Amino acid sequence: MAAAARAAECGLRVGIVDDNFSLGGQIWRSGSGKDQNHDKRNHPQPNVDERNDEPNDDNQNREAARWAHRVRISGVTSLCGLRVVHQPDPGVLLAENLDGFCELTYDKLVLATGARERFLPFPGWTLPNLMGAGGLQAMVKCGLPIQGKRVVVAGTGPLLLAVASYLRQHGAEIPVICEQASWKSLAKFGLTLFSWPQKIIQGFQLKRDLAGVSFAANSWPLAAHGQKTLESVTISRAGKNQNIPCDYLACGFHLVPNIELPLLLGCAVDNGCVQVDDLQTTTVPSVFCAGEPTSVGGVELALIEGQVAGLAAAGHASGARKLFGKRQKARRFARLLDRTFRLRSELRSLSLPDTIVCRCEDVSYSRLRQHRSWRAAKLHTRCGMGPCQGRVCGPATQFLFNWNPDSVRPPVFPARVETLAAVTAQSQLQHSEVTGGRS
Ligand SMILES: Cc1cc2nc3c(=O)[nH]c(=O)nc-3n(C[C@H](O)[C@H](O)[C@H](O)COP(=O)(O)OP(=O)(O)OC[C@H]3O[C@@H](n4cnc5c(N)ncnc54)[C@H](O)[C@@H]3O)c2cc1C
């Protein structure tokens, strides 16, 4: 939204494509399930300024409303509920929605594909009602009733606190928040926050929202139990095992940048993040990247990088340069997050031999352990070849075995056969035009 508004304000013709049914990405996307259905059929316009589902998050709502307003008045076209799955030719994207597919052409492209949660496999992690922390929050935002439910929140990263606070505000009981980072790292993190007064204010707000909720550092889930659905979770809490009855386990081990589309377009990646220069340009000319794919740094960094990318795409480099100082500070925060919430090695032994690691293709830890690389595991076990295309098991195997997913192929998301057939038909047509129909 920041990139689009800034570029459009410079006079460019701009469109935003987002596979959510309303603009706003992971934090600001709006409304209940009912509203969203209504939205996707009749109002494919940003509605982040109309939301009221986060009673104690007024600052975020105001910021969201400001950007939604800028997007609207600068004349940006919003294409919501549309997902980019392929780039059949340079400058052409193939996208599909509920009704069909379309091609989008561009001169300049800003990729802002966000991040997803990292899951680590442990016994019972595939039971119903065990969800990603942000995933559960998103489901509650879409209407899942959480009032009176007991939710254990576990994993690592600041998202756990944001989610626990959100769920509590919506009536959930939170028996404990388990954070794998040590008290020592968290204390250092707290002290360093004095360079970011806004974060301290957010921290105090969360502390107030979560008053009375038990917070356990050096703690992580060991196993989830239940017959048909989750009934309880065993956690390791500062070295001791404890069983906690619960209705949901909201579990996420920080975030992983969504780099599949940038990789498909040929953008260079370093250490799991898209490489960009000062103006957010990737290694592919005319393709920019902003937000979580360049480093997981939260909404402030995403907004600054988005603005730099939008201004740079519009050829207004001097405007972009004015934001470099703010961006540098926000990037320092991203590095701090990375250091504080780095995964401890004990988590590598959470999986038992029969623990499923690739849940799309039912591949267990013991089968994967026999292989030396992601590629070999894929060829022999189909790990990473199901609907999620390695989005879940890829980061898990990277942590467990130090494997690197080595290639991305189109389509980057599961796509309908008619969409793929259209690409094939078109490339055949182009081929026959080139060869004069002789092939
Ligand atoms: C599940 C989840 C919940 C989160 N909740 C919070 C929270 O409550 N508070 C907080 O401070 N931070 C939260 N975060 C962190 C948050 O993502 C970032 O701080 C911020 O949203 C980053 O902005 P962004 O623009 O980089 O990415 P995002 O906000 O994630 O926006 C990226 C958008 O691109 C869309 N997209 C991706 N690929 C495609 C494609 N191929 N075609 C079309 N659209 C595509 C995505 O669906 C998404 O709407 C959450 C993260 C996740 C993963």
Side-chain angles (χ1 to χ4, degrees):
M1 289 167 77
R6 283 299 210 146
E9 284 161 5
C10 294
L12 254 58
R13 194 168 152 234
V14 180
I16 304 184
V17 184
D18 195 321
D19 58 0
N20 278 310
F21 290 113
S22 50
L23 292 187
Q26 294 294 358
I27 306 181
W28 292 343
R29 67 173 152 191
S30 66
S32 66
K34 191 166 151 245
D35 290 345
Q36 287 202 347
N37 286 332
H38 176 67
D39 199 42
K40 73 189 171 203
R41 290 284 163 214
N42 303 320
H43 297 282
Q45 288 297 316
N47 60 359
V48 283
D49 49 347
E50 290 156 13
R51 62 183 309 203
N52 59 1
D53 63 337
E54 289 187 19
N56 288 338
D57 213 353
D58 289 345
N59 284 343
Q60 283 293 323
N61 281 349
R62 272 198 293 275
E63 179 95 64
R66 261 198 303 274
W67 282 108
H69 183 68
R70 280 177 80 165
V71 165
R72 205 167 32 238
I73 62 166
S74 58
V76 173
T77 305
S78 297
L79 301 164
C80 292
L82 190 64
R83 173 176 275 176
V84 175
V85 295
H86 183 28
Q87 171 166 269
D89 285 305
V92 183
L93 297 173
L94 181 72
E96 69 170 32
N97 63 11
L98 293 180
D99 301 320
F101 63 88
C102 65
E103 279 190 352
L104 305 157
T105 54
Y106 65 84
D107 296 320
K108 305 270 174 67
L109 177 68
V110 178
L111 294 166
T113 45
R116 59 181 180 270
E117 292 177 272
R118 184 192 280 112
F119 297 98
L120 294 182
F122 52 85
W125 77 288
T126 54
L127 274 172
N129 287 356
L130 196 158
M131 299 184 192
L136 180 60
Q137 182 189 36
M139 289 186 72
V140 174
K141 284 183 182 179
C142 291
L144 178 77
I146 203 74
Q147 176 84 33
K149 303 287 185 198
R150 265 171 80 82
V151 187
V152 173
V153 179
T156 199
L159 185 58
L160 298 186
L161 298 180
V163 169
S165 151
Y166 180 88
L167 297 177
R168 197 176 196 214
Q169 283 166 37
H170 288 75
E173 183 197 342
I174 313 286
V176 64
I177 302 170
C178 299
E179 166 59 66
Q180 62 91 39
S182 65
W183 282 117
K184 195 172 155 201
S185 314
L186 295 174
K188 261 196 211 159
F189 180 67
L191 287 176
T192 329
L193 279 188
F194 281 104
S195 309
W196 291 275
Q198 195 55 36
K199 306 274 179 210
I200 296 189
I201 296 171
Q202 283 170 10
F204 277 120
Q205 274 166 356
L206 285 171
K207 195 167 185 293
R208 185 197 60 200
D209 295 345
L210 294 169
V213 173
S214 164
F215 179 88
N218 289 310
S219 304
W220 53 87
L222 288 174
H225 317 278
Q227 288 299 318
K228 290 194 175 135
T229 184
L230 181 72
E231 291 167 16
S232 70
V233 55
T234 303
I235 60 166
S236 165
R237 185 172 187 164
K240 292 199 175 120
N241 293 3
Q242 185 183 352
N243 187 266
I244 305 172
C246 57
D247 301 302
Y248 287 95
L249 173 59
C251 187
F253 289 88
H254 207 32
L255 302 175
V256 188
N258 288 329
I259 55 168
E260 291 73 15
L261 189 57
L263 275 174
L264 185 74
L265 269 58
C267 305
V269 163
D270 184 24
N271 206 12
C273 296
V274 176
Q275 275 181 33
V276 285
D277 66 11
D278 279 352
L279 292 172
Q280 302 293 141
T281 318
T282 66
T283 50
V284 177
S286 303
V287 177
F288 300 79
C289 189
E292 308 285 51
T294 67
S295 65
V296 173
V299 65
E300 282 91 344
L301 179 58
L303 284 170
I304 300 167
E305 288 194 351
Q307 293 185 69
V308 171
L311 288 164
H316 192 15
S318 58
R321 278 193 199 98
K322 290 188 184 138
L323 294 163
F324 284 5
K326 273 185 171 177
R327 185 181 59 187
Q328 199 177 350
K329 194 167 177 198
R331 280 185 178 162
R332 279 212 322 268
F333 185 69
R335 287 195 289 274
L336 178 65
L337 286 179
D338 189 48
R339 271 200 308 278
T340 308
F341 299 105
R342 200 159 285 167
L343 298 181
R344 56 173 65 221
S345 58
E346 290 101 307
L347 298 175
R348 290 205 173 86
S349 47
L350 287 183
S351 293
L352 299 180
D354 62 349
T355 303
I356 295 293
V357 176
C358 169
R359 63 188 301 174
C360 297
E361 297 288 338
D362 276 348
V363 187
S364 65
Y365 180 79
S366 60
R367 285 182 64 206
L368 289 176
R369 208 173 35 189
Q370 298 164 21
H371 301 285
R372 291 179 152 222
S373 69
W374 172 249
R375 175 170 286 256
K378 248 178 131 169
L379 288 173
H380 291 275
T381 68
R382 289 194 52 80
C383 173
M385 291 171 83
C388 93
Q389 286 289 294
R391 279 183 172 74
V392 177
C393 58
T397 56
Q398 201 160 19
F399 176 68
L400 292 174
F401 306 112
N402 220 4
W403 292 345
N404 277 319
D406 48 8
S407 70
V408 171
R409 294 181 191 193
V412 281
F413 285 103
R416 281 193 296 271
V417 172
E418 85 178 292
T419 309
L420 302 179
V423 182
T424 316
Q426 204 170 37
S427 62
Q428 275 171 356
L429 180 70
Q430 278 165 359
H431 184 63
S432 88
E433 276 166 6
V434 172
T435 59
R438 288 188 301 278
S439 68

